[in-house]
Amino acid sequence: MSASEPPKQRIRQRASTPRSKTGCITCKLRRLKCGEEKPGCVRCAKSGWKCDGYEHRSANSSSSSLLRTPSPGSYLYTPSSLDLNEQERRYFQTYIDKAPLSLYARGGDESSVFKQIMLQESNTNSCVRHAIVASGALIKSFDLDCKWAYMRRLSNVQNPHHEFALFQYQKAILELRTSIDALQSGTGARETLVSAITLAYFDFFADNGGFAIQHIHFGRKILATGRSSPLSTPFSSPQPAAGTIMDPSVTRLFMGVDIQAKFALGIDSECSYIAYVPSTNSNPLYPYQFANLDEARQFRQILVVDAYNSFLRSLGYHFTPVEEIPEEWISIREGFLQKIHLWFAAFNPLLRLYLVDSAAHPLTRPDAMRFEVTILLLRLSGMLQTPEAVYDDLTSHFEYLLGVCRDVVAYERANADYGMGIETFASEPRIIPALYLCATKCRIPSLRNEALSMLFAERRREGIWESILHGKVAQWLISLEADGEPGWGGYADFTSPTVGCDRRAWGETIQRELQSKRATVRCRQNRPAEQGGGWIERICVVEWV
């Protein structure tokens, strides 16, 4: 077809799958045909999903899709019981009905816990109440139907729903001041922290990343001191601040948000750090093979929580010369890496027992349980001043991540109206962190170029992660390593052989501006011995739309 010919319209036909009204809850939520076997259906067993039985809500209940699983207790909170006007109540109900769009919703996941805490807090916390209304309005502003993410045309960003969301956000900010006043007098720490988390999530959703980061910084101060004063413990100290006594579920929720920020934006030497929820203090004996997927999930949850807790506690040594890092912390890191390999060894044989369900989103299939653990492995491998060369022996893990990301992109393009001028948002990190890892830490040109291509292919936002921003940062880092000009001029050939250790860029930080799509990026780059060795700081300003 010549360039002058208009592209032919492709008519996409959706496969119609018959569904039983009396099937199990899991198949109904996944919009799949259920065989209705008792006590659990065969389809769930073959797909690796836990069959939740055959109890059903009344006919008056709104139907849910696979990714719109209600949080425990969400039906206990109704807009009619809150201090809201009729329009605000409608948007509040929209949030109850349509959030969160989580690929990992199982009743106890972070998204479900967050929703439950928000709804509970909305009874007494007017800041959270108006933030929920604002979130419901934003959901309405995303006008394209999609089961796994919020989608909208960029030409439709400014619409009445969006304007109302911003109006409610301003009301929430005004109400936050009341909580801050109470915080200064030594009360209201939990209320204010929940408000900060809620507003951060709204700003993620509203594409106000700079403001979301401000809420996260504020939350750190609350957890460390119980008030809004600055933190007193710098990164240079090996002992973190003890933290305010807080509801563990709220603290764990904030920990997840803070970890997102640290990996998405980098670790600044002037930031402070705190101890979060205590470790599970469990050292389970890994079996030769997990009995089922539920057991694998339980072991994975313990591993992930404890490992990231350890990561946060080790940040005091992030800028410490390697020879000065206590051997204890090196041993802790090695211990977690060993546990990860034990988890893989017990999990991989389990996959032979389950069929691949091509109708399910790739990140919900049994094999995708390895996805989060693989990202954890790569992150821990580079901790505590470990030389960047460590990633050269982990190529198979980068290939696995890219394979999953490839499947996700193909599945979503086949099942949604993706195209130019479309924006998607998910409240949880999905494939952008994996693609960014592959683009910045894997030095095999073909793999990192494929990761870059997927970052730039669509305008994705996943929590604090943005595909275009992180794609541009990765592109700049690659250009430095390829001996390109350290700026936004012409780039060197990205297909050159694997980068030598004496030219590698690392330790990048991204400082976003509050009200613009602009960020200052800093990194460290190793220098060859003939140039004096050591490292130098590189700085670049990134702009994106």
Side-chain angles (χ1 to χ4, degrees):
M1 183 175 67
S2 67
S4 61
E5 293 178 349
K8 295 182 179 180
Q9 294 292 327
R10 181 172 62 92
I11 300 176
R12 179 169 49 83
Q13 296 181 346
R14 297 182 182 271
S16 176
T17 303
R19 297 187 296 274
S20 169
K21 295 182 179 180
T22 57
C24 75
I25 294 173
T26 306
C27 285
K28 285 175 69 66
L29 292 178
R30 299 176 69 207
R31 293 184 174 181
L32 298 174
K33 180 178 175 62
C34 179
E36 302 184 33
E37 296 84 1
K38 304 292 177 61
C41 79
V42 173
R43 185 171 199 123
C44 286
K46 288 184 177 180
S47 301
W49 287 76
K50 180 181 178 181
C51 184
D52 289 326
Y54 296 88
E55 295 180 6
H56 302 288
R57 301 203 303 269
S58 65
N60 293 329
S61 302
S62 61
S63 61
S64 301
S65 70
L66 161 65
L67 307 176
R68 293 175 182 173
T69 305
S71 305
S74 63
Y75 295 110
L76 300 177
Y77 308 97
T78 58
S80 59
S81 63
L82 302 174
D83 183 18
L84 299 171
N85 62 39
E86 184 58 35
Q87 186 180 22
E88 291 170 339
R89 289 171 184 165
R90 287 197 299 270
Y91 285 121
F92 193 102
Q93 187 64 49
T94 296
Y95 178 84
I96 292 176
D97 293 341
K98 297 187 176 182
L101 284 181
S102 172
L103 287 177
Y104 314 110
R106 296 181 180 275
D109 63 290
E110 184 176 297
S111 297
S112 296
V113 172
F114 173 57
K115 182 174 181 178
Q116 183 179 15
I117 290 174
M118 281 180 65
L119 292 174
Q120 290 173 338
E121 191 72 20
S122 67
N123 284 298
T124 57
N125 187 328
S126 54
C127 171
V128 171
R129 192 180 310 138
H130 287 292
I132 290 176
V133 174
S135 297
L138 268 187
I139 290 172
K140 295 286 285 186
S141 76
F142 280 70
D143 56 341
L144 299 178
D145 184 34
C146 180
K147 298 192 297 293
W148 56 82
Y150 300 106
M151 298 179 62
R152 68 180 171 190
R153 300 174 183 86
L154 291 174
S155 59
N156 193 35
V157 170
Q158 299 297 328
N159 56 49
H161 301 299
H162 187 269
E163 295 299 328
F164 189 80
L166 296 182
F167 173 70
Q168 289 293 312
Y169 174 76
Q170 292 300 323
K171 293 179 72 171
I173 291 293
L174 291 174
E175 295 293 346
L176 178 63
R177 295 176 182 174
T178 303
S179 297
I180 293 176
D181 291 340
L183 195 62
Q184 300 293 0
S185 62
T187 61
R190 181 189 185 281
E191 176 185 357
T192 310
L193 182 60
V194 174
S195 298
I197 298 171
T198 307
L199 291 171
Y201 269 101
F202 174 86
D203 279 315
F204 290 157
F205 199 176
D207 200 10
N208 296 326
F211 288 103
I213 295 162
Q214 294 299 310
H215 295 311
I216 294 171
H217 289 330
F218 185 60
R220 288 181 191 150
K221 296 175 184 178
I222 296 171
L223 272 177
T225 65
R227 55 188 184 276
S228 59
S229 59
L231 293 173
S232 58
T233 307
F235 264 139
S236 57
S237 168
Q239 295 298 324
T244 302
I245 297 176
M246 185 71 67
D247 179 351
S249 61
V250 175
T251 308
R252 192 182 300 275
L253 186 64
F254 183 80
M255 173 183 165
V257 178
D258 197 21
I259 286 174
Q260 265 202 68
K262 283 182 168 64
F263 284 113
L265 303 176
I267 300 162
D268 192 322
S269 60
E270 297 181 358
C271 288
S272 300
Y273 70 110
I274 59 177
Y276 284 95
V277 294
S279 167
T280 61
N281 293 320
S282 60
N283 191 21
L285 180 64
Y286 281 75
Y288 177 75
Q289 177 180 323
F290 293 126
N292 49 50
L293 292 179
D294 282 340
E295 184 181 40
R297 289 188 191 97
Q298 292 170 5
F299 274 79
R300 183 185 64 172
Q301 180 68 11
I302 293 172
L303 174 61
V304 168
V305 170
D306 284 355
Y308 280 128
N309 237 324
S310 175
F311 165 80
L312 291 169
R313 292 171 183 271
S314 71
L315 290 182
Y317 299 107
H318 189 74
F319 295 95
T320 302
V322 64
E323 64 273 9
E324 297 179 17
I325 298 175
E327 186 63 32
E328 173 191 5
W329 278 106
I330 302 295
S331 299
I332 291 174
R333 193 270 309 271
E334 294 301 318
F336 279 114
L337 290 174
Q338 183 180 17
K339 289 180 181 179
I340 289 174
H341 290 297
L342 289 173
W343 187 91
F344 281 136
F347 177 75
N348 290 339
L350 193 62
L351 292 177
R352 294 194 296 266
L353 305 178
Y354 298 96
L355 300 176
V356 175
D357 188 350
S358 59
H361 191 286
L363 291 180
T364 67
R365 299 170 188 168
D367 175 71
M369 287 186 64
R370 295 189 297 163
F371 193 69
E372 183 181 10
V373 182
T374 302
I375 291 175
L376 176 63
L377 168 67
L378 293 171
R379 286 171 170 172
L380 292 184
S381 296
M383 276 177 54
L384 301 176
Q385 301 286 355
T386 304
E388 291 283 299
V390 69
Y391 296 110
D392 297 346
D393 296 326
L394 301 173
T395 300
S396 62
H397 296 291
F398 289 116
E399 290 174 335
Y400 163 74
L401 291 182
L402 276 176
V404 174
C405 294
R406 201 180 298 124
D407 290 344
V408 168
V409 171
Y411 177 92
E412 293 183 354
R413 285 179 176 174
N415 290 276
D417 295 320
Y418 272 84
M420 296 298 294
I422 300 296
E423 172 192 37
T424 66
F425 172 78
S427 61
E428 60 203 0
R430 293 183 181 173
I431 67 171
I432 298 177
L435 292 173
Y436 185 70
L437 266 174
C438 292
T440 57
K441 298 304 181 184
C442 176
R443 267 71 181 199
I444 296 178
S446 60
L447 298 183
R448 70 190 325 185
N449 285 344
E450 182 180 4
L452 270 182
S453 296
M454 281 192 274
L455 284 170
F456 287 125
E458 290 120 6
R459 190 169 189 265
R460 289 177 174 267
R461 293 190 293 114
E462 301 170 0
I464 199 171
W465 295 85
E466 295 195 37
S467 62
I468 305 301
L469 165 62
H470 287 90
K472 288 201 169 188
V473 172
Q475 192 175 47
W476 176 64
L477 295 173
I478 294 172
S479 75
L480 293 178
E481 295 184 344
D483 281 339
E485 186 68 22
W488 290 104
Y491 288 106
D493 180 11
F494 290 176
T495 61
S496 59
T498 301
V499 179
C501 293
D502 59 355
R503 291 189 287 120
R504 299 195 178 187
W506 52 279
E508 68 275 10
T509 61
I510 305 172
Q511 184 176 359
R512 295 186 52 152
E513 295 185 3
L514 282 180
Q515 295 181 313
S516 66
K517 294 285 189 176
R518 182 182 173 95
T520 300
V521 186
R522 290 178 168 83
C523 77
R524 300 179 179 190
Q525 184 177 21
N526 295 336
R527 292 195 302 181
E530 59 269 21
Q531 298 179 14
W535 56 267
I536 58 174
E537 183 180 54
R538 300 286 199 183
I539 302 176
C540 181
V541 175
V542 177
E543 295 181 343
W544 73 103
V545 293

